[in-house]
Amino acid sequence: MGACVRRGFGHGWGLPSLAQVNRFPAYFDPVWHPATGLIVGHDVVGGVFALNGGDPAAAGRPGAPGQMTYFAPDTLEWEAMEMGYSGWVSWLLSGQLETFYDGLRWPGWREEAAALALPQGISVYPFLWSKEAHADLAATSRRPVPMREVIGVAADFARQMGPSDPGFLGDV
């Protein structure tokens, strides 16, 4: 799981819109729908929150249609969150993120995340899925990089050595 939740998508914040992240067509198309579901959030260390589409198993995601899932950068796997979108929004506001991200926050993480420009994430080395990072996260090297790099590296490693291809993780 990631270190902290990324600020929301949308115009005016310097971030892509939800439509851009999910590659919506430029003009309304009543038959178009996101093939695997809807990407609704990224966290600063490469975690991805997605709302499952109609056939999560075909997309390589756990859970039922309409449930939230999380691509965890420390395991390179999708995890079922066993809640729908409205439950997820309530959960985000409930203060339970501390438990969700337990073990993936280092001393000073809050200051590092606050110092990021909006389109940036935190590159962690050794990578979050490594034994070294799991053993001593505070000893890792971290630096701000474009968010697309953080997510791209996790996706590439998942495809090459992880349990499976994570599929579409959003355009950032």
Side-chain angles (χ1 to χ4, degrees):
M1 295 177 215
C4 64
V5 169
R6 182 130 186 98
R7 290 164 266 195
F9 298 125
H11 294 296
W13 288 17
L15 294 174
S17 70
L18 191 61
Q20 290 168 321
V21 167
N22 287 283
R23 298 181 183 157
F24 279 42
Y27 298 97
F28 177 70
D29 178 353
V31 298
W32 182 88
H33 66 313
T36 59
L38 194 66
I39 304 299
V40 296
H42 293 110
D43 62 38
V44 297
V45 291
V48 179
F49 292 95
L51 180 64
N52 272 339
D55 190 357
R61 294 185 185 160
Q67 281 188 330
M68 292 297 299
T69 55
Y70 177 71
F71 177 73
D74 62 324
T75 64
L76 303 177
E77 295 182 300
W78 285 100
E79 300 173 355
M81 296 191 72
E82 299 178 4
M83 63 182 84
Y85 181 77
S86 62
W88 177 73
V89 171
S90 294
W91 172 78
L92 286 175
L93 300 172
S94 72
Q96 294 181 23
L97 286 175
E98 295 296 321
T99 304
F100 184 74
Y101 288 120
D102 190 36
L104 284 175
R105 289 182 169 170
W106 55 88
W109 72 267
R110 201 177 298 270
E111 294 78 15
E112 288 180 41
L116 295 173
L118 286 175
Q120 291 183 314
I122 298 174
S123 173
V124 178
Y125 187 82
F127 299 111
L128 289 173
W129 58 86
S130 70
K131 287 188 295 187
E132 296 84 4
H134 284 270
D136 189 0
L137 189 57
T140 60
S141 171
R142 297 171 302 279
R143 64 185 178 92
V145 298
M147 194 66 203
R148 92 174 92 342
E149 182 179 322
V150 176
I151 292 172
V153 166
D156 287 346
F157 272 97
R159 286 182 194 103
Q160 293 173 23
M161 59 175 255
S164 64
D165 183 339
F168 180 66
L169 299 177
D171 281 345
V172 288

